[in-house]
């Protein structure tokens, strides 16, 4: 599909002339509904007007809430904050959890799961928003379970598996005074979400027509015990695609699966564990290979400030060898807490 032009706005953008925005060729909008706990004084002051105008003009939209949560209870409150405000609206883009507040890094990934569980149970798609640094250092354990909206103000994003990229905060759009955040969206959310029973559509994490990545769908059906005719009904036109994915897991060698895990095909736990165990207990065997069990393989966990050349020197190997062992495309890009094979 062609990349869609999507803006994200809040009361900071003032009173928007949405008719001009639509005429400017904007394909969709992510509207801030509020910030923090479920307190009416923390509703975004332009949320209702923005949502009403987008509804009136047929501009597809989703929403996000800026998180200040440091506890599980606050994450639940922020989810309820969103649900209170989106009630009655038809969302054509996901509900995004905006995780970027300094001091909330510890436990953020687990709070994302709590927030998303509440949002998905209510029938809406749920995604995570953060900048690339936050993802690399704090949220990578989420893997591909949720749709990702990543901010990086650069000529390239520099990561895969992203559905929407916020590439600048200095865009200009007719109808909006001053600068506005601009995004490239690589996924046709309105088409995927359209026709669902509730206003926001369904993630694979809740009942409804199968949508999302193949991994998302497989994770949902294996964790919910959907089999036989029920699986065919749930997957619909994507049944063959999903079943082929599962059959591959059942028939591939442990080494093949281990190589695919290292390439990122199965995300991170708990998704990886559930999916690899879809055909017996494959997870433990595959993980043993990755961890070097029963072999002479040796691994190193990257620390802040490490370079690939420094690690190569430490273990008496070469940068190119490390790149080959770990499928690292760019020798200048490694991350703290990343486990890499050194021998």
């Amino acid at each position: 599909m062609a990349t869609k032009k999507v803006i994200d706005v809040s009361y900071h953008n003032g009173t928007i002339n949405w008719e001009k925005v639509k005429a400017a060729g904007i394909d969709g909008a992510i509207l801030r509904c509020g910030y923090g706990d479920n307190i009416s004084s923390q509703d975004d002051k332009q949320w209702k007007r923005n949502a009403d105008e987008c509804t009136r003009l047929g501009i597809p939209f989703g929403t996000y809430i800026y998180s200040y949560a440091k506890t599980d209870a606050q994450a639940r409150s922020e989810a309820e904050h969103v649900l209170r405000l989106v009630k009655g609206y038809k969302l054509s883009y996901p509900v995004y959890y905006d995780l970027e507040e300094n001091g909330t890094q510890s436990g953020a990934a687990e709070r994302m799961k709590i927030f998303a569980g509440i949002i998905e149970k209510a029938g809406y798609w749920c995604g995570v928003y953060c900048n690339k640094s936050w993802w690399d250092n704090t949220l990578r354990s989420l893997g591909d379970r949720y749709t990702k909206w990543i901010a990086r103000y650069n000529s390239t994003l520099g990561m895969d598996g992203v559905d929407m990229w916020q590439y600048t905060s200095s865009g200009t759009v007719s109808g909006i005074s001053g600068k506005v955040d601009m995004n490239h969206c690589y996924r046709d959310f309105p088409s995927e979400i359209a026709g669902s029973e509730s206003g926001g559509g369904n993630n694979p994490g809740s009942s409804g027509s199968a949508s999302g990545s193949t991994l998302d769908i497989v994770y949902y059906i294996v964790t919910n015990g959907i089999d036989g005719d029920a699986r065919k009904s749930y997957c619909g036109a994507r049944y063959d695609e999903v079943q082929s994915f599962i059959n591959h897991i059942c028939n591939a060698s442990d080494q093949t699966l281990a190589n695919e895990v290292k390439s990122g095909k199965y995300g991170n736990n708990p998704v990886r564990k559930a999916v690899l165990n879809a055909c017996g207990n494959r997870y433990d065997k595959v993980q043993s290979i990755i961890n070097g069990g029963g072999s002479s393989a040796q691994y190193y966990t990257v620390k802040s400030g490490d370079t690939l050349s420094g690690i190569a020197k430490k273990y008496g190997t070469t940068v190119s060898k490390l790149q080959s062992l770990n499928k690292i495309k760019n020798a200048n890009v490694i991350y703290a807490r990343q486990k890499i094979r050194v021998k």
Side-chain angles (χ1 to χ4, degrees), residues 79-147:
E80 294 301 330
H81 193 173
V82 173
L83 295 180
R84 171 171 60 84
L85 293 173
V86 300
K87 185 176 181 180
Y89 290 105
K90 184 183 186 303
L91 302 188
S92 296
Y93 283 84
V95 171
Y96 287 99
Y97 203 26
D98 184 346
L99 298 172
E100 58 180 293
E101 179 67 14
N102 191 35
T104 65
Q105 288 91 333
S106 179
E110 290 306 310
R111 289 192 295 276
M112 172 64 199
K113 296 174 186 177
I114 292 170
F115 176 91
I118 296 170
I119 297 299
E120 290 179 346
K121 186 177 181 180
Y124 297 95
W125 285 61
C126 189
V128 58
Y129 167 90
C130 62
N131 60 50
K132 187 174 182 297
S133 177
W134 254 75
W135 179 261
D136 291 340
N137 297 305
T138 305
L139 299 173
R140 286 180 58 133
S141 64
L142 294 174
D144 294 322
R145 175 60 182 84
Y146 309 103
T147 177

Side-chain angles (χ1 to χ4, degrees), residues 29 39 42 55 61 72-73 80 105 157 162 164 186 265 308 316:
I39 302 170
Q42 295 182 173
T55 299
F61 69 96
D72 294 353
E80 294 301 330
Q105 288 91 333
L157 175 56
V162 176
M164 191 154 63
Y186 307 109
K265 181 173 182 177
L308 209 59

Side-chain angles (χ1 to χ4, degrees), residues 215 245 248-249 257 260-261 264-268 271-272 275-276:
L215 180 63
F245 191 100
H248 171 75
I249 295 171
L257 293 178
E260 291 174 344
V261 166
K265 181 173 182 177
Y266 302 105
N268 294 299
V271 176
R272 179 191 300 172
V275 169
L276 290 182

Side-chain angles (χ1 to χ4, degrees), residues 71-244:
T71 67
D72 294 353
Q74 287 177 308
R76 295 186 184 95
S77 180
E78 291 177 341
E80 294 301 330
H81 193 173
V82 173
L83 295 180
R84 171 171 60 84
L85 293 173
V86 300
K87 185 176 181 180
Y89 290 105
K90 184 183 186 303
L91 302 188
S92 296
Y93 283 84
V95 171
Y96 287 99
Y97 203 26
D98 184 346
L99 298 172
E100 58 180 293
E101 179 67 14
N102 191 35
T104 65
Q105 288 91 333
S106 179
E110 290 306 310
R111 289 192 295 276
M112 172 64 199
K113 296 174 186 177
I114 292 170
F115 176 91
I118 296 170
I119 297 299
E120 290 179 346
K121 186 177 181 180
Y124 297 95
W125 285 61
C126 189
V128 58
Y129 167 90
C130 62
N131 60 50
K132 187 174 182 297
S133 177
W134 254 75
W135 179 261
D136 291 340
N137 297 305
T138 305
L139 299 173
R140 286 180 58 133
S141 64
L142 294 174
D144 294 322
R145 175 60 182 84
Y146 309 103
T147 177
K148 294 189 283 290
W149 174 20
I150 301 296
R152 190 187 191 204
Y153 303 154
N154 199 298
S155 58
T156 58
L157 175 56
M159 64 182 286
D160 297 321
V162 176
D163 292 321
M164 191 154 63
W165 170 26
Q166 185 185 84
Y167 62 91
T168 183
S169 60
S170 301
T172 57
V173 174
S174 178
I176 300 178
S177 299
K179 305 299 184 182
V180 63
D181 295 342
M182 303 294 296
N183 305 270
H184 294 308
C185 185
Y186 307 109
R187 189 168 177 176
D188 190 357
F189 284 114
S191 293
E192 291 187 47
I193 291 175
S196 61
E197 292 182 357
S198 59
N202 298 92
N203 259 349
S206 61
S207 61
S209 59
S211 56
S213 70
T214 310
L215 180 63
D216 285 341
I217 298 170
V218 171
Y219 175 64
Y220 178 67
I221 64 176
V222 301
T223 54
N224 287 276
I226 301 175
D227 211 341
D229 289 341
R231 179 181 295 179
K232 290 181 180 178
S233 177
Y234 177 78
C235 294
R238 300 184 67 180
Y239 175 77
D240 289 344
E241 165 197 339
V242 170
Q243 197 57 47
S244 176

Side-chain angles (χ1 to χ4, degrees), residues 12 19 25 48 65-66 71 75 88 109 160 171 218 264 287-288 313 322 331:
H12 295 290
E19 292 182 347
K48 188 177 188 306
I65 185 169
Y66 187 99
T71 67
D160 297 321
V218 171
Q287 200 61 44
S288 177
K313 184 176 181 180
L322 293 181

